[in-house]
Amino acid sequence: MNELQQTAKDLLEKNAVAVVIGYGMGSEPSLRRAVFVRKPDQAPQLIFDESCRQNLAFYVLKPEVKALGKAAVVARTPTLRTLLQLATENQITDESVVALPVGNGSVQPLTNFAAIEQYLANVPRGFTAQEQQELAAIKSKTLADRWAFWKSELSRCIKCYACRAACPMCYCSKCIVEVNQPQWVPVPSDMLGNLEWNVIRAMHLAGRCISCGSCADACPAHIRIDLLNQLLATEAMQQFGAEPGLSVRKDYALATFKPTDKEEFIR
Amino acid sequence: MPRIGVFICHCGENISGTVDCAEVAKVSAEFPGVVHSVDYKYMCSDPGQNLIKNAIQEKKLTGVVVAACSPRMHEPTFRRACAEGGLNPFLCEMANLREHCSWVHEKLPATTEKAIDLVRIMVEKVKRNRPLFSINVPVTKTALVLGGGIAGIQAALDIANAGHKVIMVERQASIGGHMAQLSETFPTLDCSQCILTPRMVEVAQHPNITLYTYAELEKLDGFIGNFRAVIRKKAKSIDEKLCTGCGVCFQKCPNKKILSEFNTHLGTRTAIYVPFPQAVPNKPVIDREHCMYFQKGKCRICEKFCPTKAIRFDQQDELIEVNVGAVVAATGYEVKDTDFFPEYGYGKYPDIITGLQFERLASASGPTGGVIKRPSDGRIPETIAFIACAGSRDPAKGISYCSKICCMYTAKHAMLYKHKVHQGKAYVFYMDIRAGGKMYEEFVRRTIEEDEVHYVRGRVSRIYDRDGKLVVRGVDTLLNAKPIEIEADMVVLATAMVAQPDAEELAQKMKVSYDENKFLSEAHPKLRPVEMNTAGIFVAGACQAPKDIPETVAQASAAASKVAGLFSKDELSREPVVAVVSRTGPPEFSNCVGCFLCESACPYQAIEHEEIKTRDGKLIKTVAKINQGVCQGCGTCVALCRTKSIDLQGFTNEQIFAELVSL
């Protein structure tokens, strides 16, 4: 039994948590899926490797999981940040979640948000080299080219809302696309509706998205919507210094007004 | 089925001049839901309003669109007419055909088409209007007056005399403010203290006024009629109940060399002190920064001599929480010091002083007993130069505004100097003489003509020392721009009037707006000069902009009358244009997911938490709730809410959407 499995087993044995949410084998050797370990002897189901990409934080908000009791989450860095952002938005409390950090050495359970903050303070931030390259490629386009790029990308959207289903920040019980008094976004998958849906979602995530990439992983049309969110994240960072998911301090870029805000976009 | 009535107003020729009103009425009659459509010359007149009232009853209207002027002008009129006709007043909407159409376009078919569109939009909106009812909030009939200068004193006395309670907070040890420091006041030369001190005493003795001196506002929240203020009473280190103000303590205090703030550093005071003999309250405080006991742990001489044993070295700051219905900000101003001016020696010459310092020199209660003496050697200056606009009207110094009072007090200073030093020579350097005010121009003329003060129109570029004389170099722009040089014994700079150093902090504490110069902003520069844009907070005196005593007093009385007006009712009635959080059926109960990101977006702190519980008290979810008394209906939360769980009454998402789609 590896350290992760042992830690999960200990937590369950001590009744410190009711469930450990982690990664297990999927239907094919290359695939991974979420597993919900509720008994100590099931702990060996847990695995962690390069293929484990899904952001599991999203499960802790599900009523079915909440009903089980306190949950431990196997957490990569984006997942840890998600947990802090969810705490900022009053969706989880210190008592409801334990994080099991993976990917950076020891799996020492982080039992409160302060511990997660401390842990993240020592983890390098920002986008990977590849992500930066992709973002720069889009930013180097002229506005017209960029518009054409996104129009062509989003024209492939089939409005299945898999991105929303995979996104831990998309926890609204009634999403804007389901609000029909008035009907803000047209239901069919047409150009205008696709644009509206994806742009509204990107705006709703601006200053909140922790760039885990789950949306793009989930997209059956292979649209890089993660790039759209990352572009807005860099915008929020540059304009307002927004770095969501680093602390539980409430400083949502779109809702706080600081004298130091540059506001260059309206000049 | 909606039954909408449309009423097109000609506004004389204002609208009908460019818009074909009859055509608008004709086309509007065909809009779905419209059952009545007429045009009339003056809809706001009595017969016009009767058209509306009668139609409501005869045609059983469920909504009214009045296409006329701006709602800012006549919305109350038409809403009242609807109410009198038996319709909920919030089922009446206005299409602005005047400001939005006829006034800004020429007489073209397109103008009429636009007018028709504007009516169509409003018909679609009014179909979705719901009856709304005014919101009543209770009023706490106590006013908080911040600042005990002449502005605060006047406002407090007026409010108190109207029969309401007042809490006055002054940060210095005595009320009186800058006016207590002045010698004589223009243009009548009556002694400042003689007219002020009776008012100060009146404040202290007024049964309706609670006075907190040596105190500051710590926190303010709440809303009009219902503010909650926390006041920090700084430790005076004396028991005010026991102290009789006999003055033994400050006679015995060994630390006598502290520069007196009241005497603008031209005199001294002790560590335990009253700022000036006429202080109200006339009880000392210990300045802990200079007290030997607090600094070095030894002394306690005042304690030894105090006959009533009133000294309390262990006294702590006290926080007092009060509920008030209105706030008057009357926190006053500061003047720039001489060290602000590199060209005038950066404050290194003791005989270059500010106008406020000159006031103390000229005051009978001042450090020189009213004799004009040089601070450096005590000699009486034979030549004196006054420089107006020192800092003011100088964008290069960051002060582009006019300080307004300097022209007058400089004339007064020159006059006082000539009255006291008959053989002396007085020069005034000025840019313009701004003497607009009752008897002001006459006063300046008297200074120039009767008291023979030399007025030089020009600015002073430099002042430097030459053999004990201050060489004032400038230019006389009225004599072919000849350079001019005067050897003066003393120079008085009419330094700019600026906001208090912590004005910005105070404004943020009160959540009111302020301008680039940190002066508090009134709600409207002409029509709402004493209100601030946060309802229930009023402004008086120089914290709003530089102004002289008569103007300050007038503004303070105006603010007081606004407060008295507010307190004249037990409840405030306000428009129900406020945000509401939606509720739906179970299991969600509300689309609000309780992220509370709207909380920090709300500029009025109107968003609260509400727990939705089952009948047996089990918590289902916590959602946002809008405090309707605080909400100003700005709509920021509506725009921010991702789930569109918040709606603005009277401007719901559904209504706005319908308006847009109708085009």
Side-chain angles (χ1 to χ4, degrees), chain A residues 138-152:
Chain A
I138 294 180
K139 278 199 165 176
S140 66
K141 290 183 204 287
T142 62
L143 276 183
D145 284 352
R146 222 188 291 179
W147 180 235
F149 169 77
W150 283 117
K151 255 171 55 171
S152 107

Side-chain angles (χ1 to χ4, degrees), chain A residues 85 88-91 169 171-176 179 181-184 204 208 250 252 254-257 259, chain B residues 508 588 590-602 609 621 636 640-644 653-654 657:
Chain A
Q85 186 60 25
T88 307
E89 298 181 16
N90 296 297
Q91 300 304 311
M169 301 317 297
Y171 55 75
C172 295
S173 50
K174 192 167 186 181
C175 176
I176 182 76
V179 177
Q181 291 285 337
Q183 181 84 48
W184 295 95
H204 283 182
R208 300 169 61 233
K250 198 174 245 183
Y252 178 37
L254 271 62
T256 47
F257 307 98
Chain B
Q508 286 167 355
E588 293 301 339
S590 169
N591 287 345
C592 173
V593 280
C595 71
F596 293 108
L597 295 179
C598 51
E599 226 175 2
S600 49
C602 176
H609 295 218
K621 70 199 283 196
T636 305
L640 190 86
C641 181
R642 301 192 301 279
T643 53
K644 297 282 164 261
N653 286 318
E654 201 190 345
F657 205 84

Side-chain angles (χ1 to χ4, degrees), chain A residues 245-265:
Chain A
L246 288 182
S247 76
V248 288
R249 199 160 44 88
K250 198 174 245 183
D251 55 356
Y252 178 37
L254 271 62
T256 47
F257 307 98
K258 285 180 250 168
T260 50
D261 285 349
K262 286 191 221 149
E263 298 182 348
E264 277 162 356
F265 56 94

